[in-house]
Amino acid sequence: MTLFYKNRLAKHQKHMMRYMKYVLNDHFLLVMIIALGGFGLYYSDFIKTLDQDFFLGRVVVFILLLGILFVGKIATLLKEPDMIFLLPKERQMTSYMKKAFQHSVWLPFVLIVLVSGITMPLLVATSSLEFNDFYPIVLNLWLLKLVHLLIQLQTFYLDTKKTIQSQMILFIVASLLSIGLNLYFNPWSGMIISFLCLVFSFMMTKKSLANHPLDWEKAITFERKRMKKIYSFINLFTDVPGLSSDIKRRVYMDPWLNRIKKEQGQTFTYLYARVFLRGTEYSGLVLRLTVIGSLLLFFSNQLILNGIISALFIYLIGFQLLPVYNEFDYMLMTFLYPVEKDQKVKAVEKLIKIILSVVITIFSVLLLVRLQDKVGALIIVGILIVEGIVFTKLYAPKRLKKLEKSLI
C-alpha cells in the first residue's frame, strides 16, 4: 500500500502541475512581486520605529504562530471508488495512511519556517529575544504541528470522537502554554510541553490505528473538501472541470436585485447580477482582491507604489469578471428567450462598471487618507477612473467577442 500511495501521489502531482502554468501566470507573479516588495519596504520601515516598549509586538506574533498551527491537512488522496475497490485491503490501509501522514508534514513545516522567519524581526525589536532563538521556536512549532496532524489522522477511524475532542482541548492548551513560554520566558522552555503532548498523541494514534476500523466515508469526505479548497483557488485563474461553486441565499441582497426592472430588456442584467450576488465564485473573488488591495494601500505610503498597486488590482478584478459572460451558454432556456444577443455584452459591461466603480471608490478613499501628497493622490484617482472607463468601454467588449467566438 505504500507503493500504491506513491503512485497515486505521482499522478496527483502531475495533475496539479497542469494547472500551475495558469496559476503562476504573468499577472499573478507581477502582483505578488509588487505586493511582497511593498510589504517588505513597509515592514522594514515599521520595525525601525519600534522598541521593547511596544508590547503588542509579541501579542501579534503569538496570534500568528498559534494560527499557523491550524494550516495544513493530511492529503489522503482517497477517492469515491476506493470505498468499494480498496475495502478488501482495509487492514493494509494503515501503511497507506502512515505514508499520507509523512507526505503531509512537509508543506506545513515549510510554512512554519516562513512565518517564523518573517515575524522574527518584530520579536527581536520588541523583546529580549535574539535571531538565534528562531531555531527553538520553529522546532517547538513543528512538534505542535505533528500533534495536530496526528489528531487529524485519528479522525479517519471509527469510534474516536471522544478521544479526539479531549486531545484537541489538550492540543490547544499545550499550544497556548508552549508558545507563551517560548515568547515570554525562554525559547527552549515551551518545548517540554510540546514534546509530552506529542508523545501522548502518538500513543493514542497508534492505538486508534490498531484497534479501530477505517471510516471510509469520513476520510473520503475530508479529502474531497480539501481538494475543493485547492480547486477553488485554481478556479480564480482557469476553469476547473467538475468544480461546482457554492450558492448562498443572501436575503440582504434582495433590495439590490429588486432595483432591476422586470422587463425584457433587463433579462441578462438580472441574471448576471443574480449570479454575482448569490454565487461565491465571483463575489468571493472580488471581495478577496479588494481586501488584499486595500490592505496593501493602507500599509504603504509610497506614491508610485500605491499607484501601481491600485491600477493592477483594478485590472485584475475586471479581468477575472469577464468569464461571467459564459455562465448561461450551456442553459437551453437562455437560447429560447426572445432577447437580442447584444444584451449579454451590455449586461456584463454594466456589471463590471458597477463593481469597478465601487472598488475605485474604496481605493480612492484609502489613497487620499494614506498619501501625504494629496495632489499626487488625486492624480492616481483620476488615472483609476480613466482605467475603469477604458476597461469597460474598450477592453471588455473586445475580450467578450473573443469569448463568444471560442464557443462557436
Side-chain angles (χ1 to χ4, degrees):
M1 295 304 289
T2 300
L3 181 61
F4 177 71
Y5 182 82
K6 289 182 179 179
N7 292 335
R8 178 162 286 187
L9 177 61
K11 292 180 180 179
H12 172 75
Q13 291 174 339
K14 185 179 179 180
H15 177 66
M16 288 291 102
M17 288 303 296
R18 295 176 182 175
Y19 293 112
M20 286 302 102
K21 61 181 179 181
Y22 299 107
V23 175
L24 301 176
N25 55 39
D26 296 338
H27 298 99
F28 183 72
L29 291 176
L30 183 60
V31 170
M32 288 301 298
I33 291 171
I34 294 175
L36 289 174
F39 172 77
L41 180 63
Y42 175 81
Y43 188 55
S44 177
D45 293 338
F46 178 68
I47 293 297
K48 294 176 183 177
T49 63
L50 301 178
D51 53 31
Q52 293 190 9
D53 294 331
F54 187 70
F55 71 95
L56 287 176
R58 278 190 285 190
V59 175
V60 171
V61 175
F62 180 88
I63 295 172
L64 288 174
L65 296 184
L66 182 65
I68 202 68
L69 293 177
F70 295 91
V71 178
K73 297 182 179 181
I74 296 180
T76 62
L77 305 181
L78 290 174
K79 301 178 181 179
E80 294 284 351
D82 294 338
M83 193 182 302
I84 298 174
F85 294 103
L86 292 182
L87 188 60
K89 295 285 186 178
E90 183 171 350
R91 292 188 177 182
Q92 301 176 31
M93 285 297 292
T94 302
S95 59
Y96 180 95
M97 287 298 184
K98 288 180 179 179
K99 196 65 183 177
F101 174 84
Q102 294 170 9
H103 168 73
S104 302
V105 301
W106 294 110
L107 184 59
F109 279 10
V110 172
L111 194 59
I112 286 172
V113 172
L114 291 175
V115 174
S116 301
I118 292 171
T119 56
M120 277 309 296
L122 181 58
L123 278 177
V124 173
T126 58
S127 67
S128 58
L129 295 174
E130 300 178 355
F131 282 104
N132 289 334
D133 297 326
F134 168 80
Y135 301 104
I137 290 175
V138 168
L139 185 56
N140 181 61
L141 293 173
W142 280 356
L143 294 176
L144 291 171
K145 186 58 192 178
L146 285 173
V147 175
H148 185 243
L149 290 174
L150 285 172
I151 295 173
Q152 279 188 30
L153 184 59
Q154 292 178 59
T155 61
F156 302 148
Y157 289 82
L158 294 168
D159 302 325
T160 57
K161 185 176 181 179
K162 292 183 179 179
T163 58
I164 289 170
Q165 290 176 347
S166 59
Q167 287 182 69
M168 277 302 299
I169 295 173
L170 176 64
F171 167 72
I172 294 172
V173 173
S175 299
L176 292 170
L177 290 175
S178 61
I179 295 176
L181 289 172
N182 276 12
L183 299 183
Y184 289 93
F185 293 96
N186 186 287
W188 293 95
S189 58
M191 205 172 300
I192 300 173
I193 298 175
S194 302
F195 181 76
L196 292 175
C197 187
L198 177 61
V199 171
F200 176 74
S201 293
F202 178 79
M203 293 173 61
M204 295 301 295
T205 303
K206 187 177 180 181
K207 182 180 178 181
S208 297
L209 268 63
N211 301 328
H212 298 280
L214 181 66
D215 190 341
W216 289 93
E217 186 174 353
K218 194 170 184 178
I220 291 171
T221 301
F222 183 91
E223 177 64 16
R224 184 170 61 247
K225 290 181 179 179
R226 188 188 74 88
M227 288 304 303
K228 185 177 181 180
K229 291 181 179 179
I230 297 174
Y231 284 142
S232 296
F233 174 74
I234 296 174
N235 198 54
L236 298 179
F237 304 90
T238 184
D239 292 334
V240 179
L243 179 66
S244 57
S245 59
D246 296 329
I247 301 297
K248 296 184 178 180
R249 178 65 182 89
R250 291 173 177 164
V251 179
Y252 53 89
M253 289 294 182
D254 284 348
W256 296 97
L257 280 176
N258 292 334
R259 291 187 178 186
I260 303 174
K261 295 180 180 179
K262 306 298 190 298
E263 56 186 26
Q264 190 179 30
Q266 300 292 328
T267 301
F268 279 101
T269 302
Y270 181 83
L271 289 175
Y272 286 131
R274 194 173 180 84
V275 165
F276 177 78
L277 294 176
R278 293 195 64 185
T280 58
E281 183 178 355
Y282 297 102
S283 59
L285 169 66
V286 171
L287 180 62
R288 285 189 290 271
L289 289 177
T290 304
V291 170
I292 294 171
S294 299
L295 289 174
L296 291 174
L297 294 177
F298 181 79
F299 288 109
S300 173
N301 56 4
Q302 303 295 320
L303 180 66
I304 297 176
L305 180 62
N306 280 13
I308 295 173
I309 290 174
S310 55
L312 273 174
F313 271 86
I314 292 298
Y315 170 76
L316 283 174
I317 292 172
F319 183 81
Q320 298 290 349
L321 283 172
L322 291 174
V324 75
Y325 180 79
N326 297 328
E327 279 293 317
F328 300 101
D329 287 340
Y330 300 100
M331 295 181 63
L332 180 61
M333 291 303 297
T334 57
F335 291 96
L336 298 179
Y337 289 157
V339 294
E340 298 179 1
K341 259 191 173 182
D342 292 342
Q343 262 201 39
K344 290 180 63 178
V345 176
K346 292 179 181 178
V348 174
E349 289 178 10
K350 186 176 181 180
L351 178 66
I352 295 176
K353 178 184 176 181
I354 294 173
I355 294 169
L356 290 186
S357 298
V358 173
V359 177
I360 289 172
T361 302
I362 295 172
F363 285 0
S364 299
V365 172
L366 290 170
L367 289 168
L368 292 171
V369 170
R370 287 294 297 160
L371 294 179
Q372 295 180 355
D373 186 356
K374 302 303 179 183
V375 176
L378 287 173
I379 292 174
I380 296 175
V381 171
I383 293 173
L384 295 182
I385 294 173
V386 172
E387 181 188 12
I389 295 172
V390 171
F391 187 94
T392 306
K393 298 297 182 181
L394 299 178
Y395 182 77
K398 291 182 180 180
R399 292 292 302 182
L400 294 176
K401 286 181 180 179
K402 290 183 179 180
L403 290 174
E404 181 67 30
K405 290 179 180 179
S406 64
L407 294 172
I408 298 176

